[in-house]
Amino acid sequence: GRKRWKEPKRGGEFSGSKTTAFNNENIKFSHLLSKIAFKVQKKDGYTGNTTIKNITLKGTKRSLTLALPSTVTFTNNAGGDDITVLNTSITLDGTEQDAGTVMVEPGATMTVDVTVGDSSTPTFVDIPVNITGNANTVAGQAYAITLSFSGKAVESLEATITGWGTETTGSGDIY
């Protein structure tokens, strides 16, 4: 026989088992974090050789607790909350290159430290992460942040929303 439609239980919940299907119910999922993909590139006209050694994201928490169905609590990490995005060398070659992807706490005010060349300490410190169109990151959105280097400083730090939501842009330069 044909299965009959079952009304959802309290709160729009559906049940099923190995022998009783969900009747093709739509299950809704939303991302509770923000995703940031970092990219690095030379600024137009810069012909020098720059090697990016490390990128560290600051201002967000590394630990969280998820209470289903939708409550996320972010907590301080005993070892610190800085997130290492890149910990290997990338030599800028004139193309946009992937530098790492992280999932972060939505709404955090973040900065980036960048180490270039042979330095053992960050060369550029506390570069603000600015999201165009929003004050900060939003849950369920993916962002592409492009760091453009000109040999002297961070000239632009561009943030573009990608994948999970509507597109927006921002930037930051490294000289």
Side-chain angles (χ1 to χ4, degrees), residues 73-151:
T73 304
F74 293 90
T75 56
N76 291 321
N77 188 313
D81 287 315
D82 295 351
I83 298 172
T84 300
V85 177
L86 174 72
N87 199 20
T88 187
S89 294
I90 295 178
T91 301
L92 300 180
D93 63 7
T95 64
E96 187 177 84
Q97 299 173 65
D98 292 329
T101 301
V102 295
M103 303 290 276
V104 299
E105 167 189 15
T109 301
M110 296 174 284
T111 61
V112 174
D113 287 356
V114 179
T115 305
V116 300
D118 294 328
S119 179
S120 59
T121 59
T123 311
F124 307 103
V125 180
D126 294 330
I127 303 161
V129 175
N130 298 312
I131 308 299
T132 303
N134 294 310
N136 293 302
T137 58
V138 175
Q141 297 288 336
Y143 301 85
I145 294 182
T146 303
L147 299 170
S148 298
F149 292 80
S150 69

Side-chain angles (χ1 to χ4, degrees), residues 45-60:
Y46 176 57
T47 58
N49 293 319
T50 299
T51 300
I52 312 305
K53 184 176 176 181
N54 181 281
I55 298 173
T56 302
L57 182 64
K58 302 185 316 184
T60 186

Side-chain angles (χ1 to χ4, degrees), residues 12-32:
E13 297 173 3
F14 294 91
S15 65
S17 68
K18 289 183 188 179
T19 58
T20 306
F22 276 103
N23 294 326
N24 297 320
E25 298 302 327
N26 291 325
I27 298 174
K28 293 183 181 179
F29 172 81
S30 60
H31 295 282
L32 301 176

